[in-house]
Amino acid sequence: MRGRALLALLPWLSGAVAAAGVEVVGDAIPQPLDGLAGDALRGRAIVASRQQGLCLLCHSAPIPEERFQGTLAPSLAGAGARWSAGQLRLKLADGRRLNPDSIMPAYYSEEGLQQVGRAWQGRTLFTAQQLEDVLAYLLSLKD
């Protein structure tokens, strides 16, 4: 039944992540943002950063040198085996497209945000390159 419910949402999911002009197809953004290739080492640094990605506030990841990793969200270990590049790209860009109740930040969207600080108005949290770098790191996590 859950699969049918997701299929019923697919017309809603298709379209663009408005502010970024990114084409969503089903449950994924199949094309790299701005045609960019990601760098897994830079992505790992963003995921581990307590100032930039803040991923470890909610997620745990196979980054043993980082203490106090989160347990609110799924572990990032094995993310590259669980989801396709396009699916992960959409989750990062704007996971609310898949789960409107998600607490995960929309890293590449300006749409529907609330209480945005003046310095961040009209900007995305990640640049296209940063998102593709984080994606490259997540795709490297197969176990």
Side-chain angles (χ1 to χ4, degrees):
M1 183 68 178
R2 185 175 182 188
R4 286 185 191 172
L6 181 58
L7 287 175
L9 290 175
L10 288 180
W12 174 78
L13 294 172
S14 296
V17 175
V22 174
E23 185 67 27
V24 177
V25 179
D27 67 345
I29 298 173
Q31 298 301 314
L33 302 181
D34 294 342
L36 297 168
D39 178 275
L41 288 177
R42 286 192 312 244
R44 184 183 191 276
I46 292 169
V47 168
S49 171
R50 303 289 177 164
Q51 288 78 42
Q52 195 170 20
L54 300 171
C55 305
L56 299 181
L57 287 177
C58 296
H59 297 276
S60 62
I63 305 176
E65 68 275 15
E66 290 297 326
R67 298 174 39 199
F68 310 115
Q69 296 187 20
T71 58
L72 292 174
S75 171
L76 300 178
R82 291 193 305 269
W83 295 291
S84 71
Q87 290 170 321
L88 285 169
R89 192 175 286 112
L90 179 57
K91 287 177 182 290
L92 291 167
D94 191 352
R96 299 169 302 169
R97 300 284 300 225
L98 300 168
N99 176 3
D101 296 325
S102 178
I103 62 170
M104 185 166 154
Y107 285 102
Y108 201 71
S109 179
E110 300 166 23
E111 180 181 276
L113 305 178
Q114 298 176 13
Q115 299 181 351
V116 177
R118 208 170 272 172
W120 289 97
Q121 291 176 359
R123 296 177 52 196
T124 57
L125 293 174
F126 281 174
T127 65
Q129 185 64 67
Q130 290 169 323
L131 189 138
E132 292 296 330
D133 290 344
V134 170
L135 175 63
Y137 171 65
L138 294 176
L139 288 172
S140 76
L141 301 178
K142 302 291 187 184
D143 298 324

